[in-house]
Amino acid sequence: MRVFVPSETSESEKRVALIPESVKRLVGLGLEIVVESGAGAASYYLDDDYTAAGARISSDRAGEIAAADMVLRLSKPSMEEATAQKSGSWSVGFLDPFNEGELIGKLAESGVTAVSMEMIPRTTLAQKMDGLSSQANLAGYFAVLKAAERLNRILPMMMTPAGTISPARVFVIGVGVAGLQAIATAKRLGARVDAFDTRPVVEEQVKSLGAKFVKIDLGEVGQTDQGYAKELTEEQKEMQKAGMAKVCAQSDIVITTAKLFGRKAPMIVDERMLSGMKHGSVVVDLAVESGGNVEGSKLDEEVVTSNGVRILGIGKLECGVAAHASQMYSANLYNFIEHFWDAESKTIKSDLSDEILKGCVITQGGSIVHERFAK
Ligand code: NAD
């Protein structure tokens, strides 16, 4: 089975789908790996490292895509590349199926088996393949470093002969994978951390990291069977804003990570809340790419409000630590392939009655097979 790893085409994308260590392990399983020349350069994985791991380096992108049995990417393929793959081959990456109906249609038409990494089920068995989590974890870490760098103050308490500096106050809104890592990182840097999530079940996790859970009584909220948040009613949204405004006003850094799977992110920090915040405080909006949690945040721009609050809306924050982000994603892909690898036939078993494949395979055999997208 021949696997091709093309370079990512978006300028802001610094990651690569496979790193040399995973190449070596896949070659050990019996796969043939081809890597586009320079694919790992932005995350400091060099062509020579791939060659040493057993890959072949190629500059013929179009030819390799057409010949590959499987193409591994971070992002979705272009329309042209989606139709250039041969029938029966695999296309794996973050395909954004909720917003990419036309692309999904093209992949189906081409007879490609398309795997959407964001659809890997949130189950114990599939945890090792969960790219959404491995990347969110690093984004949460890097969000704190970005905020600390833009804040004109330090995070830890410092007692010196010249006087005492109080710890910075960090407020994390949304305590999923990214939020938990943001809390842990801010705590490690010495900040005093508050956190809020609409799912009350996370209170214990927040406390176990030494942070304070902000209690806002929203009535019935709940979560989906995959552990995702449900959307709040308009009344609940107003109650949430009122409860959080006070915490925002006393925070130096606010990090928002609130997402609603497959839908636009909720607008949480509005202009009124921003206007109550301290001059020089920093807000990082991790949901900027899916609609934004913060009013006025712009993708990959720093917006300064009239009262001097800096809003950082950085997309794909995990690209700030691209070497490790690639390492984690690459391990997710290795685990996926290894889990379904049939050593005898040297192919991947594609039985859609398997719970993991049923969750993440979107197209196969000429049609859209995922129940959520098949119309
Ligand atoms: P996510 O990225 O979808 O959302 C981030 C957080 O924002 C969530 O905790 C969500 O509850 C919260 N949120 C949504 N709307 C909000 C609002 N209006 N105000 C405040 N917070 C709001 O979440 P995620 O990081 O993908 O994690 C979702 C869940 O899945 C979590 O419970 C996580 O622990 C769980 N999970 C399980 C597994 C597994 O079992 N293998 C793997 C990863 C995540």
Side-chain angles (χ1 to χ4, degrees):
M1 182 161 185
R2 189 195 287 189
V3 174
F4 180 54
V5 181
S7 301
E8 295 295 319
T9 48
S10 152
E11 184 132 345
S12 60
E13 183 55 78
K14 308 287 179 221
R15 296 166 293 174
V16 60
L18 276 190
I19 69 162
E21 187 196 330
S22 309
V23 167
K24 196 169 172 184
R25 298 178 75 194
L26 289 172
V27 170
L29 284 184
L31 287 94
E32 178 192 348
I33 313 288
V34 185
V35 178
E36 184 173 0
S37 180
S43 44
Y44 300 103
Y45 296 106
L46 305 177
D47 284 357
D48 285 349
D49 301 333
Y50 284 104
T51 308
R56 174 166 65 76
I57 299 295
S58 169
S59 297
D60 178 13
R61 182 183 177 101
E64 299 299 350
I65 285 175
D69 299 304
M70 179 180 253
V71 180
L72 300 178
R73 295 184 175 82
L74 262 309
S75 60
K76 55 204 162 210
S78 66
M79 248 4 137
E80 201 188 346
E81 290 188 347
T83 49
Q85 275 190 235
K86 66 185 180 191
S87 179
S89 66
W90 293 66
S91 174
V92 184
F94 288 113
L95 302 179
D96 193 14
F98 293 98
N99 299 305
E100 291 292 344
E102 200 186 340
L103 176 70
I104 298 305
K106 290 276 177 216
L107 285 161
E109 265 172 42
S110 309
V112 168
T113 299
V115 173
S116 180
M117 286 301 281
E118 52 275 78
M119 299 300 293
I120 294 270
R122 301 325 259 291
T123 59
T124 307
L125 185 63
Q127 231 168 352
K128 60 185 179 180
M129 313 167 196
D130 182 356
L132 216 48
S133 292
S134 73
Q135 303 306 295
N137 188 27
L138 295 170
Y141 163 85
F142 199 61
V144 176
L145 297 199
K146 268 304 212 197
E149 188 249 325
R150 297 306 292 141
L151 187 72
N152 236 336
R153 311 165 74 88
I154 63 165
L155 268 64
M157 183 170 100
M158 231 177 240
M159 293 168 91
T160 81
T164 299
I165 297 175
S166 309
R169 295 194 65 160
V170 175
F171 183 25
V172 177
I173 302 172
V175 190
V177 180
L180 282 171
Q181 188 53 253
I183 295 171
T185 306
K187 284 298 291 180
R188 284 196 287 261
L189 288 174
R192 188 179 151 185
V193 184
D194 294 292
F196 173 74
D197 197 294
T198 49
R199 294 178 302 119
V201 291
V202 300
E203 179 173 352
E204 278 316 307
Q205 296 166 23
V206 169
K207 284 184 180 160
S208 73
L209 290 170
K212 189 175 156 225
F213 188 72
V214 175
K215 284 202 169 158
I216 305 170
D217 187 4
L218 299 174
E220 183 65 33
V221 276
Q223 58 182 26
T224 69
D225 53 3
Q226 287 273 303
Y228 291 114
K230 287 189 174 163
E231 190 163 12
L232 301 181
T233 62
E234 287 309 314
E235 194 189 344
Q236 285 174 319
K237 284 180 193 166
E238 285 314 307
M239 283 155 75
Q240 179 185 1
K241 282 181 186 169
M244 289 191 321
K246 266 190 272 165
V247 191
C248 286
Q250 63 200 19
S251 299
D252 299 290
I253 293 173
V254 174
I255 295 178
T256 69
T257 78
K259 292 183 185 165
L260 294 167
F261 189 67
R263 276 172 297 149
K264 194 171 177 290
M267 172 59 64
I268 295 176
V269 180
D270 64 12
E271 228 170 77
R272 199 160 40 104
M273 291 159 78
L274 289 166
S275 68
M277 288 181 67
K278 292 187 278 191
H279 184 78
S281 51
V282 177
V283 181
V284 184
D285 184 358
L286 254 89
V288 66
E289 279 176 305
S290 52
N293 292 149
V294 183
E295 196 164 357
S297 72
K298 290 200 176 121
L299 181 61
D300 293 336
E301 278 184 40
E302 179 172 322
V303 175
V304 184
T305 65
S306 55
N307 59 319
V309 178
R310 293 171 196 279
I311 307 171
L312 310 181
I314 310 165
K316 298 195 192 91
L317 265 159
E318 58 276 18
C319 288
V321 284
H324 277 147
S326 303
Q327 180 187 325
M328 294 294 107
Y329 184 71
S330 176
N332 295 142
L333 290 180
Y334 170 81
N335 291 330
F336 177 81
I337 294 171
E338 194 264 345
H339 189 85
F340 295 107
W341 184 243
D342 182 22
E344 219 169 87
S345 64
K346 291 207 181 304
T347 55
I348 291 177
K349 289 178 240 160
S350 58
D351 172 10
L352 289 187
S353 65
D354 177 275
E355 280 305 311
I356 299 174
L357 291 178
K358 199 165 121 194
C360 67
V361 172
I362 312 295
T363 68
Q364 192 175 59
S367 44
I368 301 175
V369 291
H370 197 290
E371 55 185 23
R372 213 157 161 175
F373 305 102
K375 289 202 191 77

